[in-house]
Each structure stands twice: as structure tokens, then as C-alpha cells.
Amino acid sequence: MKEGESRGKRAGAEEVKSESEKGEVTMQDEGEAVDALVAAESMAPTQIDVRMDVTLLHCQGCFLPLKPPVFKCDAVGHVVCYYCRAGHRAVCSRANTHCGQLDKVVGAAKVPCPYKGFGCDRYVVFHEAADHQRVCQCASCTCPESGCAFVGSRAMLVNHFAADHQRPAVTLRYGRSWSLSFSLSHGWHLLVGEEDCSVFLVSLCPLGAGTAVSLMCVRPDGEAETGPRFWCKLSIERRGGDKDYDLVLMASPVISNALSTCAPALGQGMFLVVPQELLSGDTLTLSVRIDLIPPAAVAPKSTTPQARAPRRMQ
């Protein structure tokens, strides 16, 4: 009997131990599963790319991109912007219901900049895309040379001029005069500001027996509308004997051009007329100084929504 009882006790102990091990394994598996879930959640993307019908992001009243606050009419459920909610009565009823969730959607829906192929890697809120496009530093421009089909950013234009037209841009610093030589056999030459990589076009155009010289800055349309950013002084002087001294000089704001559609006319804007006697064969030696215009004080933006012009459906 003692031997049988001993064997029974050992079997019971082994069974308890086995159940205990199973419990430990189960608890361990559950812990690993929780850890895996936490790891998966931490690796989940905070943003995703989705495709949707772009008309869903437009006001059904003015057909412009929706921006917060967004409203919905109580009759049919039309989604309209702040500016159209009162006038929507003519379609069905007044849009009184503010859609806070749609505010979050239209405020977070982003699209890649249309100039992504030219170097802009920004994603912008859909209803702000048009404003960004007008001031994007990678906005497309054309080459001013006649018959050239180049289209690219300003940085690409600088490389294009050097590689395809064999005219490397001259880099200069603002606030000091530079003596530069330009070939009269070419109508366009490029300058680049060292401080901010702004691109300038020097235009050389025959004018009677002399040459008209002008300077413009290549800037996006939206930036050009804010007014000139630079002031320039162009001059040529020639010293002879004790009393022989010739000087032609022009100082003016630098005009802007986006080069978005076609090349500007040679000699556009203010220009310096250089007499033939101040030319050295096929070369024009010119003193160029470009200064930054201090930015004017920025007026505070109004918080009152302004009316928007409706867009006609095509």
C-alpha cells in the first residue's frame, strides 16, 4: 500500500506541475500577443494616401474648394461653404447645420504640389493648393531663348543655360557693385543671387546705334504681385584724359516676370541705353549692383471671411 500511495503522490505532483507549466505557457503567449499588438500599433502610419472623387471636396454652391467652416442644408444634404450657406435657399433651403467632422476632413485632406516633378516635395491642404502653386519656389518657367522648348524650375533653368546654351550664370552678392562682361551676340544672360539663389535675367537689345540693357527677376506669379524685392543700379563709365569722362547710369526697382508662358520682350521695363562708343567690340562691360528692398510691415490678416467669386461649371 505504501508503494502504491507513493506512486499516486508522484503522479499527482507531476499532473499539478504539468498544469502549472501549461498556465505559464498560456500567460506567456498572451503577453507576447499583447506586445505584438502594441508593436503593430506603434508601427501603424499616422497618415495614409487615399484616392477620392475630387468633387467631394468642392462646395456645391460656388464649386470652389471647401474650407472650414462647412455647412449642410437640411433639405437634401448639400454640402456648402460659409459664403454659400445663406444664398443656398434659392436651391433648396438655408444650410444651417455646421458639420464639424467635415471641417476636419477638408482641413486635413492634402495633395502633392503640382510642381513635384520640378523638385517640390510638399503636400498642401487641398483648398490651399492654388495659393501654394502661385508662390511655389519650384514653379515652372520657360527659357527666354527663341525656339527653346525648355520648361522647368528656376534652378533647372540655371543648369539648362549652362549646359544647353553654354552660358553659365554669374553668381553675385547683394549690396556691392560687380564689373561684368556680356557678349552682345546673345540677348539673354543669367545672374544668381548668392544669398537666396534668386535668378535674374540681363537683357541686351539693339537700340539704334547703341544697346538697351535691362534687368528682371524671375519670380513666381504670386510673389511678383507683392511688388519689387530688389533695387538695381546699372552703369558704364569710361575715363580718358584728365577731363575726358563718360558715364551712363540707371537706378530703378527690378521688375519681375514668372516666364510661365513665354519669354518677355527684350528691353522690357526700365532700361539703360549704352552708346556705341562705350562698347568694346562684341562685349559690353557693365557695373551691376543689386540691393534687397527691406520688406514692408505686414498688415495683420483680417479674421472676417471675405466673399469669394463663384466659379462656373464647364
Side-chain angles (χ1 to χ4, degrees):
M1 288 293 294
K2 291 183 179 180
E3 185 178 351
E5 289 177 358
S6 178
R7 286 197 300 268
K9 289 180 180 180
R10 286 198 301 269
E14 291 175 358
E15 184 176 351
V16 171
K17 182 179 180 182
S18 176
E19 291 296 330
S20 175
E21 290 176 349
K22 288 180 179 180
E24 290 177 0
V25 171
T26 302
M27 292 179 63
Q28 182 179 1
D29 291 345
E30 290 178 353
E32 291 177 352
V34 171
D35 292 342
L37 181 60
V38 171
E41 290 178 348
S42 65
M43 294 174 62
T46 57
Q47 294 184 343
I48 58 174
D49 292 334
V50 297
R51 290 179 179 269
M52 63 185 301
D53 187 343
V54 73
T55 59
L56 298 176
L57 296 175
H58 285 79
C59 170
Q60 293 176 278
C62 62
F63 307 110
L64 294 173
L66 284 166
K67 60 175 64 177
V70 179
F71 294 84
K72 181 179 69 174
C73 75
D74 301 322
V76 185
H78 291 136
V79 176
V80 294
C81 66
Y82 174 89
Y83 313 99
C84 295
R85 66 188 182 105
H88 194 61
R89 183 190 298 274
V91 179
C92 48
S93 71
R94 183 181 176 87
N96 289 319
T97 305
H98 175 219
C99 304
Q101 293 302 317
L102 278 179
D103 282 354
K104 295 179 181 179
V105 172
V106 301
K110 294 184 178 182
V111 294
C113 173
Y115 299 123
K116 181 178 180 180
F118 297 151
C120 184
D121 57 0
R122 288 192 57 186
Y123 278 73
V124 293
V125 176
F126 179 72
H127 65 76
E128 297 175 349
D131 293 335
H132 168 77
Q133 185 173 349
R134 291 180 58 79
V135 298
C136 180
Q137 298 303 303
C138 296
S140 62
C141 63
T142 58
C143 178
E145 287 292 342
S146 177
C148 184
F150 167 84
V151 177
S153 67
R154 288 174 294 169
M156 296 167 67
L157 175 65
V158 173
N159 295 331
H160 162 75
F161 243 69
D164 296 341
H165 299 300
Q166 290 74 51
R167 266 169 282 160
V170 176
T171 300
L172 49 75
R173 293 183 62 84
Y174 303 138
R176 55 169 293 187
S177 297
W178 297 83
S179 180
L180 306 175
S181 296
F182 302 103
S183 171
L184 294 174
S185 60
H186 301 294
W188 300 101
H189 301 268
L190 286 184
L191 306 177
V192 176
E194 182 178 314
E195 291 86 344
D196 57 5
C197 295
S198 291
V199 177
F200 301 89
L201 273 175
V202 176
S203 163
L204 305 180
C205 176
L207 184 63
T211 299
V213 184
S214 63
L215 181 73
M216 70 180 66
C217 181
V218 183
R219 300 170 65 194
D221 286 324
E223 280 193 359
E225 292 174 358
T226 63
R229 280 190 60 207
F230 302 95
W231 184 273
C232 75
K233 184 171 76 172
L234 309 178
S235 63
I236 296 179
E237 63 179 86
R238 184 182 65 180
R239 296 181 181 273
D242 294 338
K243 297 182 180 180
D244 188 7
Y245 180 78
D246 294 315
L247 171 68
V248 289
L249 180 147
M250 180 198 77
S252 74
V254 179
I255 63 172
S256 300
N257 195 301
L259 299 183
S260 54
T261 54
C262 59
L266 286 165
Q268 178 181 345
M270 293 286 293
F271 55 85
L272 174 71
V273 179
V274 181
Q276 186 176 18
E277 56 267 23
L278 293 184
L279 302 177
S280 301
D282 185 48
T283 301
L284 170 66
T285 301
L286 181 71
S287 175
V288 179
R289 175 176 174 140
I290 300 176
D291 291 279
L292 274 166
I293 298 176
V298 179
K301 291 185 178 181
S302 171
T303 56
T304 304
Q306 302 296 317
R308 303 190 294 177
R311 182 175 63 189
R312 294 182 177 181
M313 293 293 289
Q314 299 296 325

